[in-house]
Amino acid sequence: MSSTAQPIAFGGSMLREHRHVCTFFSSAVEEYETLLPFICDGINCGHRAYHVLPDHHKEDHFQRLRIAGIDVERVMKTRQLEVAVPEDTYLRTARFNKDAMLVLIQEALKAGADLGFPLTRMIAHAEAAVDDWKSSNDWVEYEMRLNSVLPNYDDPVICTFDANLLTVPHAIDILRTHPMVIIGGVFVENSFFTRPQDFIREVQLRTGPSRSYRG
């Protein structure tokens, strides 16, 4: 992380060095109460917003942004706001591919800089990526490996999860791969965060030596 990175207000606190965050919400109302100020502040100060969410949520998302005072059509025209769907991101290769997604995340962040925006604020509805969480091990590895990639960028990446769709084991693994977390609208440093190298060893013991993990 660059030492010149400025803190960013989020969830009643400040994003500082660690900017890979998981958020668990039980309703859309709870989610947008937390995320809308972060989105609006970013757009108002000239940052780029890059959001990934299921196609059937897009119109509701746009409407909530309009109600919050965002000129959706204008900021989309200038590419200050970009909204992608899982089929263009997580599922671009028909199924979730952790290696392809790691490349795509970095391309998306670099694109913001190439477009002239000082920062990209990424929010991704991550639970949309995995069909019934059949690929949950791959997903957890992807989230873990992001912690080796994202320190190269100042851009915050917020991974949003519908708590109603997660089992307890999946939620625990997701929690442990993020250094920061919002639970119940409260933003805190995650005391359950496990260093990537430690998590790798643990998952290898759990799934067998045949799995290949790369930092």
Side-chain angles (χ1 to χ4, degrees), residues 24-39:
F24 296 100
F25 298 114
S26 58
S27 69
V29 171
E30 182 185 355
E31 174 185 354
Y32 280 95
E33 282 180 351
T34 299
L35 295 183
L36 268 178
F38 175 74
I39 296 169

Side-chain angles (χ1 to χ4, degrees), residues 20 48 50 52 88-90 92 96-112 120 122-124 139 142-143 145-146 149-150 153 155-159:
H20 182 206
R48 176 171 173 253
Y50 185 95
V52 181
D88 297 327
T89 53
Y90 299 122
R92 187 167 60 172
F96 178 69
N97 182 304
K98 56 186 178 293
D99 297 303
M101 193 60 200
L102 285 165
V103 171
L104 187 146
I105 286 281
Q106 294 178 82
E107 289 176 345
L109 298 180
K110 290 173 183 175
T120 292
M122 181 178 291
I123 298 174
W139 180 265
Y142 158 71
E143 290 282 15
R145 289 170 61 188
L146 271 178
V149 170
L150 294 181
Y153 303 87
D155 313 90
V157 174
I158 316 299
C159 302

Side-chain angles (χ1 to χ4, degrees), residues 161-210:
F161 296 90
D162 183 345
N164 301 297
L165 301 179
L166 298 177
T167 66
V168 171
H170 291 147
I172 291 172
D173 275 351
I174 289 164
L175 182 63
R176 293 179 62 201
T177 58
H178 292 78
M180 307 299 293
V181 62
I182 282 187
I183 299 179
V186 179
F187 178 58
V188 295
E189 186 170 351
N190 182 10
S191 60
F192 296 101
F193 175 65
T194 303
R195 296 183 307 163
Q197 57 269 37
D198 295 333
F199 199 91
I200 289 171
R201 285 194 291 269
E202 179 182 325
V203 176
Q204 285 177 335
L205 290 172
R206 187 193 313 172
T207 60
S210 59

